[in-house]
Amino acid sequence: MRLFYLGFCMLLGLSGAVAQRGSVLMDPSDASQIQQSLGQFALLDKSYEDLKQLADGAIAQPMDVPVPKDPAGGYSHEQHKRNYQAIQAAGICYSVSKDQRYVKFVKDILLQYSRLIPTLKNHPQAKGSSPGRLFHQALNDCNWVAYSVQGYDAVYSELTPAERSQIESSVFRPLATFLTRDLESWFNLVHNHGVWAVSAVGMTGFVLKDKELVEKAILGTKKDGKGGFLAQLNTLFSPDGYYTEGPYYVRYALLPFFLFAQAIEMNQPERKIFDYRNQILKKAFYAALQQTNSDGKFIPINDALKEKGWDTRELVTAASIVFQRYGADATLLDMIRQQGRVLLNKGGLAIAKLDKQLGSESPHFERKSVIFSDGPMGRDGGIAILRNGVQQQQTSLVFKFTGHGLSHGHYDKLMLALYDDGNEILTDYGAARFLNVEPKFGGRYLPENHSFAMQTIAHNTVVVDEASHFGGKEAVAEKESGQLYFADLSDANQQIISAKAATAYKDVTLQRTLLMLNDSTLDKPIVLDLFRVLSAQKHQYDLPFYYKGQLIKTNLPYQAATKVQTTLGESNGYQHLWKQAEAKPNASAFTLTWLNDSRFYSVTTATDTATQVILARVGANDPDFNLRPEPALIVRQQWAKGGTFLSVIEPHGHFDPTAETASGAESNVKEAKIIYDTAVATVVDVWLNSGHKIRLAVANNDAASGQSHSLSLPDGTLSWKGYYQLNLL
Amino acid sequence: MRLFYLGFCMLLGLSGAVAQRGSVLMDPSDASQIQQSLGQFALLDKSYEDLKQLADGAIAQPMDVPVPKDPAGGYSHEQHKRNYQAIQAAGICYSVSKDQRYVKFVKDILLQYSRLIPTLKNHPQAKGSSPGRLFHQALNDCNWVAYSVQGYDAVYSELTPAERSQIESSVFRPLATFLTRDLESWFNLVHNHGVWAVSAVGMTGFVLKDKELVEKAILGTKKDGKGGFLAQLNTLFSPDGYYTEGPYYVRYALLPFFLFAQAIEMNQPERKIFDYRNQILKKAFYAALQQTNSDGKFIPINDALKEKGWDTRELVTAASIVFQRYGADATLLDMIRQQGRVLLNKGGLAIAKLDKQLGSESPHFERKSVIFSDGPMGRDGGIAILRNGVQQQQTSLVFKFTGHGLSHGHYDKLMLALYDDGNEILTDYGAARFLNVEPKFGGRYLPENHSFAMQTIAHNTVVVDEASHFGGKEAVAEKESGQLYFADLSDANQQIISAKAATAYKDVTLQRTLLMLNDSTLDKPIVLDLFRVLSAQKHQYDLPFYYKGQLIKTNLPYQAATKVQTTLGESNGYQHLWKQAEAKPNASAFTLTWLNDSRFYSVTTATDTATQVILARVGANDPDFNLRPEPALIVRQQWAKGGTFLSVIEPHGHFDPTAETASGAESNVKEAKIIYDTAVATVVDVWLNSGHKIRLAVANNDAASGQSHSLSLPDGTLSWKGYYQLNLL
């Protein structure tokens, strides 16, 4: 049988009389190097075996190219997805093995597609402004093209001119035309969809030797550079490499970014695409990795599914190309070993070699304290992650003061999130979506994504008068951003950052200052959070803390809604919160302690005589049970001219249910007080049970870091130079 | 310094003129074998290192024997706990190393205790009928004695008669007297506390060479065998080894059971204690392991904390003694490797050798389908676990029809719980308690443990007229049990079991039949659940299914309580449930689908025109937020003469958020109908989307397995012999 096969394939090869041309998307020397290296490096072998299994599995099944019918998660959707993955896998397997079975599979299935595609109109389940043909949205069609064209490219030299002509004229060209002509304005959008679109079309252009398509992909359909790949590289990233839609979407976009860049490098090396914009692709890659928690999950700001981590397949591709183009980095092995595979190219081979060479001696990936600017010029605010501790024990404080982040952006200026010991502690809800779960709204974003998850009250930041930032209007929000006020992350044990958002509300300025403090008297760093609001008018201010875990205690009593629960409000996300309890702490600091995994955490918030504290839980007005029932502490103030929320966030103690030990379940914060608060400066005192006192003074309107300040306080005069003064007593 | 130490100790040794006596709790040959084997077996080395670290850590700290003051979790409580662990560890370290530092530590700290203990009255935080002296409850005092006496025994030969006399007369003897005299009736109780008490006193008796104490420990204070160790062995276990309080408490009791048995074997080998009652200790050990889920967590029936698994320290001791007394069992390595240590005795050494020898080739522990009887004679019902699949992929169905299980028992006759892929799918709430978390009611069982977790409505079983089984009265429940009706687990793909509870309600008989069915057309086994209730009177019947995960869809609409939520009832646990939605399916089967981890699950319940379906969530009337907000589907019927709840429980499909794939989110059950239901028999039909039909007929009053039945059904006559008939079409 095997002999027969071989003979048959040789015959085919002879009869074709084909003009030979190598792959234009994969360097032929990559394939030969991989082939020679098989059997030597576990990671490489596994990667090849995975692809081979995928391709062989598809070959073993009856071929099925169904008429598009179902939404995401449905059969036809999933089958077309399986097909494009199999086409790509078979192509690569052919490149490495030269086994003609793979050629036959790619050819046969693409010929089947060549009969289907010309018959297609917009997908019957298409909704919105970018309908697909094979799928309900064009984005998935782009995925199909980007994968399939790689498979076609790999077997190109084995096909007859007639087969090529049939496949190109009835598969790739009509899809490229559909994307660039029918969806022209969408194709030119600067957005993760746009990246997929230009990469799919650009790779098609290279394979079809169609310079016009390549140019449109690189410069936009009008070739004016307002759309296309370079525009994406220029405007989606800040100079630091922060991707404006956030880490969940950069994860998705990095694959087409790197794939198309790789194709450009092979075919137009003179563009030096990997050096473009001071190696923006390298910065983008590393910035994305820094935006993971110590468990590798991406920080779920904006629309984001929390399950997504750096083990996602998109980063497999990016990592191998980074190794190839920007040099080996052994600290990436932490991630790559979790991914369990590499790309079958020189980069992947280098990784597999290094993996074997270093074994358990490889250095760990280091997550550092970072501030990334946002916006193409780096002027649209940014995001900071303050970190303390190493690896899994790390405590990480996320502080977001970016621009809006396009259509997936949330109204969450100056929000914070806290991670500790690999766990979410103060959470960002992420997106309301069950990706590809058909019964949940076709797997798309749920209505509650807009009505709750995007709204300000769903985030750990201030809401004024129960209205979201920028009135919850994307067009308005897109024009604005937070702004970094000052930061000093140079001392790991005294990291401080302050940012402002002056335009989120018409007549209120928001300013938040976060200090992450650690010293030998503490187990874990604590966070001082000074959220200042300034306005000429009276307003209601709500500051929520969504905490993950089980409430253990509060230091003061509250009225619980034990028999009847009602919603906290009527709109802007408030309608989705059950009001579970409220308290009037009456000028004593209020502390809420919860348990998460093996540690206790507390938020202590300074209060005045008018402060109201609300305990709420997500889930009201949610008839389809689309939301997760997560709890929040909300601090509510009614201030005539603004004021400052002072909160101390604090990991403490230890809980080990297996060893049956629990210790330090009580907060270490004895008192938290605002002792001075004007437009000029805010001064707070925090006393710990250990007897230590922390005094933080922040200048609220400092023109420069050298300005002198002097305040008369009850206990004497406090003088300092610059933005802030920290005294530890 | 070291030399001085040695000299000092030799002097002591000389001056003591001590009558030499070896340890009576640890075989001296154990210690020498361990010593000779160190450095050869990783598991042994680690176990010794752990103990050494514990002992050395305690020695390095200033010694602290505080006056008892705090409840569980507080400083003095935790310090006395640390002390007894250190005393035991130091004793063993001395036995192995002969390092006199350990002798000095044990001696010094016990002498400190000898000054404290005679001054003690009942603990200031003591509550309830068994107050402790060193701790708030006597149980913890027993822990202290059981551990500390081992340390004392190990260094006994190194102490002067005066030191021994001081320690015995002011530490161990007063505590033994306190336990056997002041707390005599508690000491004689047959209960996990009692096991700790007799073991602590019995080991003390051996060490103090006090035969009287030993006899009291073995036979009860009156030496009549009504209390004491043998009574515990006789009555706490069924002949199968099922422990009447359930697996969470047997985990706790196995340690003193095995420790004291080991001491008896050393000092009174003629008792053949390890052969006692047909090797009941071996049966108890293996029965406990079978009552774990595939992730090693104990099934949380009765009062139980879900975090507890077979990696708990109590099972470290039991496993090593099982190895020593009942022979090597390589399948225990799965568990022991998770525990990461062994006891420093011959058993532990044998394990460490086998661990090294087998490496990754060791066989896995196999969780089987089991039925354990309950009660000393095996006549008080029992518990079954039906299993299908291997290791982590196993599906396990728990079915409980035991006796009450003493003071920690729940009112949950005929309850079920389902596990799949290592996850809880249909859950048992377990206990409402945060063990040792001081701010949560001193770490004790919370009030909601009684008001909710124990009540029938907190379990997946039928509640009649919103009242718990046996009126929620322990004294009544203790006299009753469920009864196995029939079972056939011989075919892994067609396992069936049926049990009855005739006395849970005055005029209602409960009968539940569970069929776990798998075949080549199914991914995973499905469960048919026929819950029949029979009564001469009209009643309301509620059958809850507490599901873990996110609701994905229902097949029929419901009215959701979106703006106001109220409690489902007033008492018996109902007051703790928020009513979130209700539906009147009006004779169409109702299906609820949820997502748990990487799989979808559905419950489809047959309905008639009067059926009401309620969606509820735990958390009402819980002002301290002591409960977890878990969801439930409750099927409600009002039947004049009883009827049958037919439910199909079904894992299906797959969800992979990393690969972004979802499939099979819809239930495969097309229809579920009760087609015959009388006091004589119940017949149900379940149609699957695949076209398959399952017909199950159950004889409701079969005198014997051979009885013939013939029913006239709409589609013909159904005849069968015996308890049931299963037809697959």
Side-chain angles (χ1 to χ4, degrees), chain B residues 663-703:
Chain B
S663 60
E666 304 275 346
S667 162
N668 292 312
V669 175
K670 199 171 152 193
E671 218 170 331
K673 281 213 162 159
I674 298 158
I675 58 169
Y676 187 93
D677 194 29
T678 69
V680 172
T682 302
V683 184
V684 303
D685 281 353
V686 174
W687 285 264
L688 303 182
N689 285 328
S690 60
H692 290 72
K693 186 179 121 181
I694 303 157
R695 169 166 290 180
L696 178 63
V698 176
N700 291 328
N701 271 309
D702 214 325

Side-chain angles (χ1 to χ4, degrees), chain A residues 73-74 78 81-82 85 248 251-252 297 305 307-309 311-314 434-440 547 550-553 558 560-567 570 575 578 580-581 595 600 615 617 619-629 655 657-666, chain B residues 73-74 78 81-82 85 248 251-252 297 305 307-309 311-314 434-440 547 550-553 558 560-567 570 575 578 580-581 595 600 615 617 619-629 655 657-666:
Chain A
E78 294 299 321
K81 222 165 123 181
R82 279 190 287 272
Q85 289 168 349
Y248 176 76
R251 162 206 58 86
Y252 187 56
K297 299 284 185 232
L305 301 190
E307 300 95 338
K308 281 284 180 186
D311 56 343
T312 179
R313 72 162 166 265
E314 291 91 351
F434 294 87
L435 188 62
N436 284 341
V437 177
E438 206 279 324
K440 280 291 193 202
Y547 61 93
Q550 180 82 30
L551 191 152
I552 292 297
K553 70 169 284 188
Y558 50 76
T562 55
K563 293 185 201 313
V564 178
Q565 257 181 195
T566 55
T567 63
E570 296 297 317
Q575 75 277 22
W578 292 116
Q580 297 203 297
L595 175 65
F600 300 95
L615 302 184
R617 192 179 292 276
N621 275 294
D622 177 25
D624 297 326
F625 296 89
N626 287 336
L627 295 169
R628 299 185 303 268
F655 178 60
T658 297
E660 301 193 357
T661 54
S663 61
E666 304 275 348
Chain B
E78 293 299 319
K81 219 165 125 184
R82 279 189 288 272
Q85 288 168 349
Y248 176 77
R251 163 206 58 87
Y252 188 55
K297 299 286 185 231
L305 302 190
E307 301 94 337
K308 281 286 181 189
D311 56 342
T312 179
R313 72 163 165 267
E314 291 91 352
F434 294 87
L435 188 64
N436 283 342
V437 177
E438 206 278 324
K440 280 291 193 201
Y547 61 92
Q550 178 82 31
L551 190 153
I552 292 296
K553 70 169 286 185
Y558 50 76
T562 55
K563 293 184 199 317
V564 178
Q565 261 183 190
T566 54
T567 63
E570 296 298 317
Q575 74 277 23
W578 293 115
Q580 298 203 296
L595 175 66
F600 300 95
L615 302 184
R617 192 179 291 277
N621 275 295
D622 178 25
D624 297 326
F625 296 89
N626 287 337
L627 295 169
R628 300 185 302 269
F655 179 61
T658 296
E660 302 193 357
T661 54
S663 60
E666 304 275 346

Side-chain angles (χ1 to χ4, degrees), chain B residues 578-596:
Chain B
W578 293 115
K579 185 170 171 181
Q580 298 203 296
E582 64 183 313
K584 288 275 283 181
N586 210 8
S588 302
F590 185 87
T591 301
L592 183 142
T593 301
W594 70 98
L595 175 66
N596 180 313

Side-chain angles (χ1 to χ4, degrees), chain A residues 535-580:
Chain A
S535 175
Q537 311 298 325
K538 187 178 179 193
H539 290 289
Q540 174 186 291
Y541 300 94
D542 285 347
L543 175 57
F545 291 94
Y546 285 86
Y547 61 93
K548 185 141 191 178
Q550 180 82 30
L551 191 152
I552 292 297
K553 70 169 284 188
T554 61
N555 68 328
L556 297 170
Y558 50 76
Q559 265 66 51
T562 55
K563 293 185 201 313
V564 178
Q565 257 181 195
T566 55
T567 63
L568 185 59
E570 296 297 317
S571 55
N572 302 323
Y574 281 75
Q575 75 277 22
H576 289 296
L577 289 169
W578 292 116
K579 186 171 171 180
Q580 297 203 297

Side-chain angles (χ1 to χ4, degrees), chain B residues 187-405:
Chain B
F187 179 86
N188 288 328
L189 280 183
V190 172
H191 185 274
N192 73 75
H193 289 203
V195 182
W196 273 97
V198 305
S199 298
V201 167
M203 291 197 287
T204 300
F206 284 127
V207 173
L208 269 54
K209 297 210 166 295
D210 182 331
K211 280 195 183 159
E212 184 74 6
L213 270 188
V214 172
E215 290 295 289
K216 284 182 176 177
I218 293 178
L219 298 169
T221 54
K222 298 195 173 56
K223 291 182 264 176
D224 57 2
K226 287 188 181 163
F229 196 61
L230 298 185
Q232 316 271 18
L233 285 172
N234 290 338
T235 54
L236 284 173
F237 298 105
S238 77
D240 304 331
Y242 176 77
Y243 181 81
T244 191
E245 296 181 282
Y248 176 77
Y249 273 100
V250 81
R251 163 206 58 87
Y252 188 55
L254 280 179
L255 178 61
F257 267 123
F258 272 91
L259 271 184
F260 191 30
Q262 188 80 329
I264 294 172
E265 183 69 13
M266 274 194 65
N267 296 282
Q268 301 184 349
E270 65 281 5
R271 279 200 186 269
K272 297 192 187 304
I273 194 74
F274 285 106
D275 287 334
Y276 190 76
R277 219 186 149 203
N278 298 314
Q279 302 195 329
I280 192 68
L281 281 170
K282 182 182 183 185
K283 289 177 182 166
F285 176 78
Y286 280 99
L289 301 197
Q290 286 295 339
Q291 291 175 77
T292 57
N293 178 27
S294 49
D295 62 357
K297 299 286 185 231
F298 288 104
I299 288 163
I301 54 170
N302 296 331
D303 283 348
L305 302 190
K306 296 197 175 189
E307 301 94 337
K308 281 286 181 189
W310 69 1
D311 56 342
T312 179
R313 72 163 165 267
E314 291 91 352
L315 288 195
V316 174
T317 298
S320 290
I321 298 175
V322 163
F323 246 71
Q324 181 180 9
R325 300 302 176 187
Y326 298 115
D329 177 354
T331 70
L332 296 180
L333 286 172
D334 270 356
M335 171 182 75
I336 292 163
R337 286 169 180 168
Q338 266 176 261
Q339 295 167 342
R341 57 207 167 112
V342 294
L343 206 62
L344 294 181
N345 77 346
K346 289 193 188 67
L349 178 56
I351 291 169
K353 282 182 179 170
L354 195 65
D355 167 61
K356 183 177 177 181
Q357 182 195 326
L358 294 182
S360 61
E361 304 295 305
S362 64
H364 286 296
F365 180 77
E366 197 191 338
R367 292 181 179 82
K368 303 169 188 175
S369 288
V370 290
I371 304 177
F372 294 120
S373 64
D374 189 14
M377 308 299 285
R379 291 182 191 153
D380 303 338
I383 188 169
I385 309 175
L386 277 50
R387 290 178 162 123
N388 189 281
V390 293
Q391 303 296 327
Q392 279 301 109
Q393 282 72 50
Q394 204 163 51
T395 309
S396 307
L397 179 69
V398 178
F399 183 34
K400 182 171 182 263
F401 48 97
T402 60
H404 188 62

Side-chain angles (χ1 to χ4, degrees), chain A residues 142-163:
Chain A
C142 296
N143 300 156
W144 191 94
V145 172
Y147 278 79
S148 298
V149 79
Q150 293 176 61
Y152 174 62
D153 172 60
V155 305
Y156 183 92
S157 63
E158 299 292 326
L159 305 185
T160 65
E163 288 159 355

